[in-house]
Amino acid sequence: MRSGGVSRPPAVSEEEYWGQPSNWQDSEDVEVELLDNSEDMKQPSGNQILLDQFISKQNKGSEESSSDGESCGRGKRKRTARRLSPSYQPTPMLSAQAAQKKGKRRVSARERNLRRLESNERERMRMHSLNDAFEQLRQVIPHVKMERKLSKIETLTLAKNYIMALTNVICDMRGEEKPYTFVDGESSGENNNDEDIEVENLEENNNSSCQRDLETRD
DNA sequence: TAGGCCATCTGGTCCT
DNA sequence: AGGACCAGATGGCCTA
């Protein structure tokens, strides 16, 4: 049960995303009141209401141009209301920042939309670079050949093991005591769930693979 | 069909 | 002030 197929959905254009032409609210400036969240923390239900109000406000525009507000094809996701978990608690702002941001400020809806899209783009690029780094890490980790590529958690776990194995080798060469031990069925952590067990199995294969790799490089 | 993995969006916070 | 970073939410794809 692994390796979910992932294709990067194309970035959604402003018009597609908001279900309106990009200048749909050009003439309407929205007065945004920046709230001190520390007050809201005392009333989580009130926060939920604020959020719902914001979401429904945002959705108004797209609902008019589309009867189906829920699902859609991959890569063209429409904005849907986010359901918050019961445990959701907004993070309180630091008092200094809250004080600084307190008060009203006029921000055009167009400007907000634009900033959000730009922010999304930056976040996308950031995640892509992070994934590139993961890919580079995968390429330098010796592991049992598999049809599927290593998942992120596997990559990190195996990288950690590889570092530990290398450290052991270095210490061994110096005649020092090996700082790490690899015990069968138990890999340096308190892993208990199924996912971790699967990673452990991978690790077991990988540990011997690491050792062989290190020995041949000597 | 359930569960795992992932990309993306989003809003809050931190940092420069 | 604006960008980077982070974590939660959501939904799509894939496999057992």
Side-chain angles (χ1 to χ4, degrees):
Chain A
M1 210 182 283
R2 201 40 86 72
S3 90
V6 172
S7 57
R8 289 175 183 171
V12 184
S13 73
E14 195 177 353
E15 182 168 349
E16 285 173 327
Y17 190 83
W18 294 95
Q20 293 281 354
S22 57
N23 61 344
W24 66 288
Q25 270 186 332
D26 242 353
S27 60
E28 180 189 350
D29 282 3
V30 176
E31 195 165 37
V32 178
E33 180 164 16
L34 299 159
L35 299 169
D36 182 348
N37 282 358
S38 60
E39 265 312 298
D40 295 331
M41 285 290 288
K42 299 167 189 169
Q43 302 172 352
S45 57
N47 241 318
Q48 177 74 58
I49 292 168
L50 273 179
L51 206 79
D52 289 342
Q53 285 175 344
F54 173 71
I55 288 167
S56 62
K57 193 173 183 179
Q58 293 288 349
N59 279 336
K60 269 186 183 176
S62 56
E63 281 171 6
E64 287 167 8
S65 62
S66 164
S67 56
D68 179 14
E70 189 57 33
S71 69
C72 51
R74 187 170 180 79
K76 287 206 173 189
R77 292 182 192 168
K78 289 171 187 167
R79 187 184 182 81
T80 55
R82 296 171 65 181
R83 282 193 296 275
L84 301 177
S85 68
S87 60
Y88 172 79
Q89 288 281 332
T91 314
M93 302 176 76
L94 296 179
S95 57
Q97 281 185 310
Q100 186 187 351
K101 292 194 173 185
K102 208 167 186 177
K104 295 182 178 180
R105 180 188 161 209
R106 296 187 75 81
V107 179
S108 79
R110 162 101 173 125
E111 189 182 351
R112 272 187 302 141
N113 295 353
L114 214 56
R115 282 191 193 161
R116 213 336 110 193
L117 289 173
E118 286 171 354
S119 181
N120 289 349
E121 174 67 15
R122 283 193 301 273
E123 177 66 7
R124 226 178 292 127
M125 299 306 289
R126 197 181 70 84
M127 294 310 296
H128 288 177
S129 66
L130 183 64
N131 288 339
D132 288 343
F134 264 106
E135 192 50 48
Q136 290 176 41
L137 187 56
R138 281 186 191 101
Q139 288 172 7
V140 297
I141 299 175
H143 65 277
V144 178
K145 290 278 183 251
M146 294 183 298
E147 291 138 8
R148 61 175 180 81
K149 73 173 186 180
L150 293 172
S151 71
K152 291 179 178 178
I153 182 68
E154 288 166 350
T155 302
L156 291 177
T157 305
L158 295 183
K160 178 206 71 180
N161 281 358
Y162 191 42
I163 291 170
M164 290 165 70
L166 283 172
T167 306
N168 276 351
V169 168
I170 292 171
C171 289
D172 195 36
M173 289 171 67
R174 288 176 178 166
E176 299 169 3
E177 190 180 351
K178 293 180 181 178
Y180 305 112
T181 54
F182 296 96
V183 182
D184 284 348
E186 178 203 331
S187 63
S188 73
E190 305 84 33
N191 303 333
N192 288 320
N193 62 36
D194 291 344
E195 182 183 323
D196 290 332
I197 290 171
E198 189 172 350
V199 171
E200 281 175 11
N201 294 335
L202 245 177
E203 285 181 41
E204 284 179 40
N205 289 333
N206 188 65
N207 291 340
S208 55
S209 172
C210 282
Q211 291 295 343
R212 276 198 305 275
D213 190 58
L214 293 173
E215 285 165 9
T216 55
R217 290 183 192 194
D218 286 345

PDB file of all heavy atoms in Angstrom, chain A residues 17-46:
ATOM      1  N   TYR A  17      -9.187  30.274 -10.221  1.00  0.00           N
ATOM      2  CA  TYR A  17      -9.212  30.053  -8.781  1.00  0.00           C
ATOM      3  C   TYR A  17     -10.385  30.719  -8.105  1.00  0.00           C
ATOM      4  O   TYR A  17     -11.060  30.134  -7.272  1.00  0.00           O
ATOM      5  CB  TYR A  17      -7.902  30.549  -8.172  1.00  0.00           C
ATOM      6  CG  TYR A  17      -7.779  30.139  -6.747  1.00  0.00           C
ATOM      7  CD1 TYR A  17      -7.310  28.876  -6.446  1.00  0.00           C
ATOM      8  CD2 TYR A  17      -8.191  30.968  -5.724  1.00  0.00           C
ATOM      9  CE1 TYR A  17      -7.217  28.466  -5.157  1.00  0.00           C
ATOM     10  CE2 TYR A  17      -8.099  30.564  -4.423  1.00  0.00           C
ATOM     11  CZ  TYR A  17      -7.611  29.314  -4.140  1.00  0.00           C
ATOM     12  OH  TYR A  17      -7.517  28.906  -2.854  1.00  0.00           O
ATOM     13  N   TRP A  18     -10.624  31.949  -8.467  1.00  0.00           N
ATOM     14  CA  TRP A  18     -11.675  32.683  -7.767  1.00  0.00           C
ATOM     15  C   TRP A  18     -13.007  32.597  -8.489  1.00  0.00           C
ATOM     16  O   TRP A  18     -13.995  33.140  -8.023  1.00  0.00           O
ATOM     17  CB  TRP A  18     -11.263  34.141  -7.611  1.00  0.00           C
ATOM     18  CG  TRP A  18     -10.097  34.272  -6.724  1.00  0.00           C
ATOM     19  CD1 TRP A  18      -8.795  34.339  -7.109  1.00  0.00           C
ATOM     20  CD2 TRP A  18     -10.082  34.289  -5.294  1.00  0.00           C
ATOM     21  NE1 TRP A  18      -7.981  34.415  -6.014  1.00  0.00           N
ATOM     22  CE2 TRP A  18      -8.740  34.384  -4.884  1.00  0.00           C
ATOM     23  CE3 TRP A  18     -11.097  34.237  -4.317  1.00  0.00           C
ATOM     24  CZ2 TRP A  18      -8.368  34.435  -3.554  1.00  0.00           C
ATOM     25  CZ3 TRP A  18     -10.721  34.293  -3.000  1.00  0.00           C
ATOM     26  CH2 TRP A  18      -9.372  34.384  -2.629  1.00  0.00           C
ATOM     27  N   GLY A  19     -13.003  31.904  -9.636  1.00  0.00           N
ATOM     28  CA  GLY A  19     -14.248  31.739 -10.353  1.00  0.00           C
ATOM     29  C   GLY A  19     -14.772  33.039 -10.902  1.00  0.00           C
ATOM     30  O   GLY A  19     -15.961  33.196 -11.165  1.00  0.00           O
ATOM     31  N   GLN A  20     -13.914  33.997 -11.025  1.00  0.00           N
ATOM     32  CA  GLN A  20     -14.303  35.317 -11.511  1.00  0.00           C
ATOM     33  C   GLN A  20     -13.135  35.875 -12.302  1.00  0.00           C
ATOM     34  O   GLN A  20     -11.999  35.477 -12.128  1.00  0.00           O
ATOM     35  CB  GLN A  20     -14.565  36.262 -10.328  1.00  0.00           C
ATOM     36  CG  GLN A  20     -15.764  35.898  -9.482  1.00  0.00           C
ATOM     37  CD  GLN A  20     -17.053  36.336 -10.129  1.00  0.00           C
ATOM     38  OE1 GLN A  20     -17.046  37.006 -11.153  1.00  0.00           O
ATOM     39  NE2 GLN A  20     -18.163  35.949  -9.541  1.00  0.00           N
ATOM     40  N   PRO A  21     -13.411  36.809 -13.178  1.00  0.00           N
ATOM     41  CA  PRO A  21     -12.319  37.519 -13.805  1.00  0.00           C
ATOM     42  C   PRO A  21     -11.451  38.149 -12.733  1.00  0.00           C
ATOM     43  O   PRO A  21     -11.936  38.467 -11.646  1.00  0.00           O
ATOM     44  CB  PRO A  21     -13.006  38.592 -14.643  1.00  0.00           C
ATOM     45  CG  PRO A  21     -14.388  38.099 -14.835  1.00  0.00           C
ATOM     46  CD  PRO A  21     -14.714  37.265 -13.630  1.00  0.00           C
ATOM     47  N   SER A  22     -10.186  38.315 -13.044  1.00  0.00           N
ATOM     48  CA  SER A  22      -9.264  38.767 -12.010  1.00  0.00           C
ATOM     49  C   SER A  22      -9.587  40.159 -11.485  1.00  0.00           C
ATOM     50  O   SER A  22      -9.115  40.547 -10.442  1.00  0.00           O
ATOM     51  CB  SER A  22      -7.838  38.741 -12.561  1.00  0.00           C
ATOM     52  OG  SER A  22      -7.770  39.534 -13.712  1.00  0.00           O
ATOM     53  N   ASN A  23     -10.384  40.891 -12.220  1.00  0.00           N
ATOM     54  CA  ASN A  23     -10.693  42.243 -11.742  1.00  0.00           C
ATOM     55  C   ASN A  23     -12.118  42.339 -11.213  1.00  0.00           C
ATOM     56  O   ASN A  23     -12.709  43.391 -11.177  1.00  0.00           O
ATOM     57  CB  ASN A  23     -10.499  43.251 -12.873  1.00  0.00           C
ATOM     58  CG  ASN A  23     -11.426  42.935 -14.019  1.00  0.00           C
ATOM     59  OD1 ASN A  23     -11.967  41.839 -14.088  1.00  0.00           O
ATOM     60  ND2 ASN A  23     -11.594  43.877 -14.915  1.00  0.00           N
ATOM     61  N   TRP A  24     -12.649  41.194 -10.795  1.00  0.00           N
ATOM     62  CA  TRP A  24     -14.064  41.150 -10.439  1.00  0.00           C
ATOM     63  C   TRP A  24     -14.433  42.033  -9.282  1.00  0.00           C
ATOM     64  O   TRP A  24     -15.573  42.415  -9.142  1.00  0.00           O
ATOM     65  CB  TRP A  24     -14.500  39.712 -10.173  1.00  0.00           C
ATOM     66  CG  TRP A  24     -13.868  39.088  -8.978  1.00  0.00           C
ATOM     67  CD1 TRP A  24     -12.575  38.698  -8.874  1.00  0.00           C
ATOM     68  CD2 TRP A  24     -14.485  38.780  -7.735  1.00  0.00           C
ATOM     69  NE1 TRP A  24     -12.342  38.151  -7.648  1.00  0.00           N
ATOM     70  CE2 TRP A  24     -13.481  38.176  -6.928  1.00  0.00           C
ATOM     71  CE3 TRP A  24     -15.768  38.935  -7.207  1.00  0.00           C
ATOM     72  CZ2 TRP A  24     -13.754  37.749  -5.646  1.00  0.00           C
ATOM     73  CZ3 TRP A  24     -16.023  38.490  -5.931  1.00  0.00           C
ATOM     74  CH2 TRP A  24     -15.019  37.911  -5.163  1.00  0.00           C
ATOM     75  N   GLN A  25     -13.484  42.356  -8.439  1.00  0.00           N
ATOM     76  CA  GLN A  25     -13.822  43.208  -7.298  1.00  0.00           C
ATOM     77  C   GLN A  25     -12.982  44.468  -7.301  1.00  0.00           C
ATOM     78  O   GLN A  25     -12.738  45.067  -6.282  1.00  0.00           O
ATOM     79  CB  GLN A  25     -13.591  42.437  -5.998  1.00  0.00           C
ATOM     80  CG  GLN A  25     -14.818  41.674  -5.546  1.00  0.00           C
ATOM     81  CD  GLN A  25     -14.573  41.050  -4.196  1.00  0.00           C
ATOM     82  OE1 GLN A  25     -13.445  40.732  -3.844  1.00  0.00           O
ATOM     83  NE2 GLN A  25     -15.620  40.877  -3.418  1.00  0.00           N
ATOM     84  N   ASP A  26     -12.540  44.794  -8.494  1.00  0.00           N
ATOM     85  CA  ASP A  26     -11.612  45.893  -8.586  1.00  0.00           C
ATOM     86  C   ASP A  26     -12.107  47.175  -7.931  1.00  0.00           C
ATOM     87  O   ASP A  26     -11.360  47.900  -7.290  1.00  0.00           O
ATOM     88  CB  ASP A  26     -11.324  46.188 -10.068  1.00  0.00           C
ATOM     89  CG  ASP A  26      -9.853  45.973 -10.339  1.00  0.00           C
ATOM     90  OD1 ASP A  26      -9.103  45.747  -9.369  1.00  0.00           O
ATOM     91  OD2 ASP A  26      -9.479  46.047 -11.489  1.00  0.00           O
ATOM     92  N   SER A  27     -13.363  47.429  -8.098  1.00  0.00           N
ATOM     93  CA  SER A  27     -13.860  48.712  -7.633  1.00  0.00           C
ATOM     94  C   SER A  27     -14.233  48.700  -6.168  1.00  0.00           C
ATOM     95  O   SER A  27     -14.492  49.740  -5.588  1.00  0.00           O
ATOM     96  CB  SER A  27     -15.082  49.098  -8.464  1.00  0.00           C
ATOM     97  OG  SER A  27     -16.063  48.110  -8.309  1.00  0.00           O
ATOM     98  N   GLU A  28     -14.260  47.506  -5.594  1.00  0.00           N
ATOM     99  CA  GLU A  28     -14.737  47.430  -4.217  1.00  0.00           C
ATOM    100  C   GLU A  28     -13.586  47.244  -3.237  1.00  0.00           C
ATOM    101  O   GLU A  28     -12.936  46.219  -3.186  1.00  0.00           O
ATOM    102  CB  GLU A  28     -15.715  46.261  -4.064  1.00  0.00           C
ATOM    103  CG  GLU A  28     -16.249  46.141  -2.651  1.00  0.00           C
ATOM    104  CD  GLU A  28     -17.025  44.849  -2.474  1.00  0.00           C
ATOM    105  OE1 GLU A  28     -17.297  44.171  -3.466  1.00  0.00           O
ATOM    106  OE2 GLU A  28     -17.341  44.531  -1.320  1.00  0.00           O
ATOM    107  N   ASP A  29     -13.359  48.237  -2.462  1.00  0.00           N
ATOM    108  CA  ASP A  29     -12.363  48.118  -1.417  1.00  0.00           C
ATOM    109  C   ASP A  29     -13.007  47.519  -0.188  1.00  0.00           C
ATOM    110  O   ASP A  29     -14.128  47.833   0.159  1.00  0.00           O
ATOM    111  CB  ASP A  29     -11.751  49.471  -1.072  1.00  0.00           C
ATOM    112  CG  ASP A  29     -10.730  49.852  -2.111  1.00  0.00           C
ATOM    113  OD1 ASP A  29     -10.565  49.102  -3.086  1.00  0.00           O
ATOM    114  OD2 ASP A  29     -10.117  50.906  -1.942  1.00  0.00           O
ATOM    115  N   VAL A  30     -12.292  46.673   0.461  1.00  0.00           N
ATOM    116  CA  VAL A  30     -12.833  46.021   1.643  1.00  0.00           C
ATOM    117  C   VAL A  30     -12.089  46.489   2.872  1.00  0.00           C
ATOM    118  O   VAL A  30     -10.873  46.492   2.904  1.00  0.00           O
ATOM    119  CB  VAL A  30     -12.702  44.481   1.527  1.00  0.00           C
ATOM    120  CG1 VAL A  30     -13.177  43.819   2.785  1.00  0.00           C
ATOM    121  CG2 VAL A  30     -13.479  43.996   0.321  1.00  0.00           C
ATOM    122  N   GLU A  31     -12.835  46.861   3.828  1.00  0.00           N
ATOM    123  CA  GLU A  31     -12.206  47.298   5.066  1.00  0.00           C
ATOM    124  C   GLU A  31     -11.933  46.073   5.911  1.00  0.00           C
ATOM    125  O   GLU A  31     -12.839  45.361   6.298  1.00  0.00           O
ATOM    126  CB  GLU A  31     -13.114  48.259   5.807  1.00  0.00           C
ATOM    127  CG  GLU A  31     -12.374  49.012   6.887  1.00  0.00           C
ATOM    128  CD  GLU A  31     -13.200  50.197   7.341  1.00  0.00           C
ATOM    129  OE1 GLU A  31     -14.412  50.066   7.407  1.00  0.00           O
ATOM    130  OE2 GLU A  31     -12.608  51.237   7.611  1.00  0.00           O
ATOM    131  N   VAL A  32     -10.689  45.855   6.179  1.00  0.00           N
ATOM    132  CA  VAL A  32     -10.304  44.667   6.934  1.00  0.00           C
ATOM    133  C   VAL A  32      -9.915  45.055   8.335  1.00  0.00           C
ATOM    134  O   VAL A  32      -9.050  45.884   8.539  1.00  0.00           O
ATOM    135  CB  VAL A  32      -9.106  43.971   6.260  1.00  0.00           C
ATOM    136  CG1 VAL A  32      -8.689  42.768   7.063  1.00  0.00           C
ATOM    137  CG2 VAL A  32      -9.477  43.588   4.842  1.00  0.00           C
ATOM    138  N   GLU A  33     -10.569  44.447   9.276  1.00  0.00           N
ATOM    139  CA  GLU A  33     -10.176  44.702  10.655  1.00  0.00           C
ATOM    140  C   GLU A  33      -9.300  43.576  11.129  1.00  0.00           C
ATOM    141  O   GLU A  33      -9.681  42.419  11.105  1.00  0.00           O
ATOM    142  CB  GLU A  33     -11.406  44.808  11.548  1.00  0.00           C
ATOM    143  CG  GLU A  33     -11.008  45.066  12.983  1.00  0.00           C
ATOM    144  CD  GLU A  33     -12.189  45.552  13.794  1.00  0.00           C
ATOM    145  OE1 GLU A  33     -13.298  45.388  13.340  1.00  0.00           O
ATOM    146  OE2 GLU A  33     -11.956  46.080  14.876  1.00  0.00           O
ATOM    147  N   LEU A  34      -8.108  43.925  11.513  1.00  0.00           N
ATOM    148  CA  LEU A  34      -7.183  42.919  12.001  1.00  0.00           C
ATOM    149  C   LEU A  34      -7.424  42.723  13.481  1.00  0.00           C
ATOM    150  O   LEU A  34      -7.298  43.632  14.273  1.00  0.00           O
ATOM    151  CB  LEU A  34      -5.754  43.364  11.719  1.00  0.00           C
ATOM    152  CG  LEU A  34      -5.496  43.531  10.229  1.00  0.00           C
ATOM    153  CD1 LEU A  34      -4.308  44.434   9.990  1.00  0.00           C
ATOM    154  CD2 LEU A  34      -5.291  42.188   9.567  1.00  0.00           C
ATOM    155  N   LEU A  35      -7.781  41.496  13.803  1.00  0.00           N
ATOM    156  CA  LEU A  35      -8.194  41.225  15.177  1.00  0.00           C
ATOM    157  C   LEU A  35      -7.056  40.720  16.020  1.00  0.00           C
ATOM    158  O   LEU A  35      -6.125  40.104  15.545  1.00  0.00           O
ATOM    159  CB  LEU A  35      -9.301  40.172  15.151  1.00  0.00           C
ATOM    160  CG  LEU A  35     -10.553  40.600  14.392  1.00  0.00           C
ATOM    161  CD1 LEU A  35     -11.446  39.394  14.194  1.00  0.00           C
ATOM    162  CD2 LEU A  35     -11.280  41.694  15.115  1.00  0.00           C
ATOM    163  N   ASP A  36      -7.172  40.979  17.256  1.00  0.00           N
ATOM    164  CA  ASP A  36      -6.224  40.429  18.208  1.00  0.00           C
ATOM    165  C   ASP A  36      -6.684  39.027  18.553  1.00  0.00           C
ATOM    166  O   ASP A  36      -7.676  38.817  19.218  1.00  0.00           O
ATOM    167  CB  ASP A  36      -6.200  41.302  19.476  1.00  0.00           C
ATOM    168  CG  ASP A  36      -5.179  40.764  20.454  1.00  0.00           C
ATOM    169  OD1 ASP A  36      -4.688  39.645  20.265  1.00  0.00           O
ATOM    170  OD2 ASP A  36      -4.882  41.489  21.398  1.00  0.00           O
ATOM    171  N   ASN A  37      -5.941  38.050  18.100  1.00  0.00           N
ATOM    172  CA  ASN A  37      -6.367  36.670  18.278  1.00  0.00           C
ATOM    173  C   ASN A  37      -6.343  36.210  19.719  1.00  0.00           C
ATOM    174  O   ASN A  37      -6.991  35.246  20.063  1.00  0.00           O
ATOM    175  CB  ASN A  37      -5.488  35.743  17.443  1.00  0.00           C
ATOM    176  CG  ASN A  37      -5.897  35.789  15.997  1.00  0.00           C
ATOM    177  OD1 ASN A  37      -6.846  36.484  15.649  1.00  0.00           O
ATOM    178  ND2 ASN A  37      -5.179  35.070  15.151  1.00  0.00           N
ATOM    179  N   SER A  38      -5.579  36.865  20.512  1.00  0.00           N
ATOM    180  CA  SER A  38      -5.509  36.408  21.897  1.00  0.00           C
ATOM    181  C   SER A  38      -6.875  36.511  22.561  1.00  0.00           C
ATOM    182  O   SER A  38      -7.189  35.752  23.457  1.00  0.00           O
ATOM    183  CB  SER A  38      -4.475  37.230  22.652  1.00  0.00           C
ATOM    184  OG  SER A  38      -4.852  38.592  22.628  1.00  0.00           O
ATOM    185  N   GLU A  39      -7.669  37.449  22.106  1.00  0.00           N
ATOM    186  CA  GLU A  39      -9.030  37.536  22.615  1.00  0.00           C
ATOM    187  C   GLU A  39      -9.840  36.351  22.116  1.00  0.00           C
ATOM    188  O   GLU A  39     -10.587  35.730  22.850  1.00  0.00           O
ATOM    189  CB  GLU A  39      -9.688  38.838  22.129  1.00  0.00           C
ATOM    190  CG  GLU A  39      -9.589  39.988  23.097  1.00  0.00           C
ATOM    191  CD  GLU A  39      -9.981  39.595  24.500  1.00  0.00           C
ATOM    192  OE1 GLU A  39     -11.133  39.189  24.732  1.00  0.00           O
ATOM    193  OE2 GLU A  39      -9.104  39.692  25.383  1.00  0.00           O
ATOM    194  N   ASP A  40      -9.652  36.052  20.841  1.00  0.00           N
ATOM    195  CA  ASP A  40     -10.423  34.976  20.237  1.00  0.00           C
ATOM    196  C   ASP A  40     -10.095  33.622  20.843  1.00  0.00           C
ATOM    197  O   ASP A  40     -10.909  32.722  20.848  1.00  0.00           O
ATOM    198  CB  ASP A  40     -10.160  34.919  18.732  1.00  0.00           C
ATOM    199  CG  ASP A  40     -10.671  36.172  18.052  1.00  0.00           C
ATOM    200  OD1 ASP A  40     -11.641  36.756  18.579  1.00  0.00           O
ATOM    201  OD2 ASP A  40     -10.093  36.575  17.049  1.00  0.00           O
ATOM    202  N   MET A  41      -8.886  33.510  21.335  1.00  0.00           N
ATOM    203  CA  MET A  41      -8.491  32.239  21.911  1.00  0.00           C
ATOM    204  C   MET A  41      -9.419  31.834  23.037  1.00  0.00           C
ATOM    205  O   MET A  41      -9.604  30.666  23.313  1.00  0.00           O
ATOM    206  CB  MET A  41      -7.061  32.322  22.466  1.00  0.00           C
ATOM    207  CG  MET A  41      -6.010  32.316  21.404  1.00  0.00           C
ATOM    208  SD  MET A  41      -5.910  30.708  20.621  1.00  0.00           S
ATOM    209  CE  MET A  41      -5.149  29.775  21.966  1.00  0.00           C
ATOM    210  N   LYS A  42      -9.993  32.821  23.656  1.00  0.00           N
ATOM    211  CA  LYS A  42     -10.876  32.504  24.772  1.00  0.00           C
ATOM    212  C   LYS A  42     -12.232  32.018  24.276  1.00  0.00           C
ATOM    213  O   LYS A  42     -13.014  31.478  25.019  1.00  0.00           O
ATOM    214  CB  LYS A  42     -11.062  33.739  25.653  1.00  0.00           C
ATOM    215  CG  LYS A  42      -9.762  34.234  26.264  1.00  0.00           C
ATOM    216  CD  LYS A  42      -9.969  35.609  26.844  1.00  0.00           C
ATOM    217  CE  LYS A  42      -8.642  36.234  27.265  1.00  0.00           C
ATOM    218  NZ  LYS A  42      -8.766  37.646  27.582  1.00  0.00           N
ATOM    219  N   GLN A  43     -12.480  32.281  23.002  1.00  0.00           N
ATOM    220  CA  GLN A  43     -13.775  31.905  22.450  1.00  0.00           C
ATOM    221  C   GLN A  43     -13.579  31.194  21.116  1.00  0.00           C
ATOM    222  O   GLN A  43     -13.791  31.765  20.060  1.00  0.00           O
ATOM    223  CB  GLN A  43     -14.630  33.141  22.230  1.00  0.00           C
ATOM    224  CG  GLN A  43     -14.834  33.926  23.497  1.00  0.00           C
ATOM    225  CD  GLN A  43     -15.513  35.232  23.214  1.00  0.00           C
ATOM    226  OE1 GLN A  43     -15.695  35.624  22.066  1.00  0.00           O
ATOM    227  NE2 GLN A  43     -15.900  35.927  24.264  1.00  0.00           N
ATOM    228  N   PRO A  44     -13.176  29.926  21.172  1.00  0.00           N
ATOM    229  CA  PRO A  44     -12.936  29.190  19.937  1.00  0.00           C
ATOM    230  C   PRO A  44     -14.147  29.152  19.030  1.00  0.00           C
ATOM    231  O   PRO A  44     -14.022  29.188  17.829  1.00  0.00           O
ATOM    232  CB  PRO A  44     -12.551  27.790  20.427  1.00  0.00           C
ATOM    233  CG  PRO A  44     -12.915  27.748  21.859  1.00  0.00           C
ATOM    234  CD  PRO A  44     -12.951  29.150  22.355  1.00  0.00           C
ATOM    235  N   SER A  45     -15.327  29.081  19.594  1.00  0.00           N
ATOM    236  CA  SER A  45     -16.500  29.003  18.746  1.00  0.00           C
ATOM    237  C   SER A  45     -16.678  30.294  17.963  1.00  0.00           C
ATOM    238  O   SER A  45     -17.098  30.302  16.820  1.00  0.00           O
ATOM    239  CB  SER A  45     -17.731  28.732  19.595  1.00  0.00           C
ATOM    240  OG  SER A  45     -17.856  29.746  20.574  1.00  0.00           O
ATOM    241  N   GLY A  46     -16.319  31.403  18.600  1.00  0.00           N
ATOM    242  CA  GLY A  46     -16.405  32.677  17.913  1.00  0.00           C
ATOM    243  C   GLY A  46     -15.443  32.735  16.749  1.00  0.00           C
ATOM    244  O   GLY A  46     -15.742  33.280  15.700  1.00  0.00           O
TER     245      GLY A  46
END
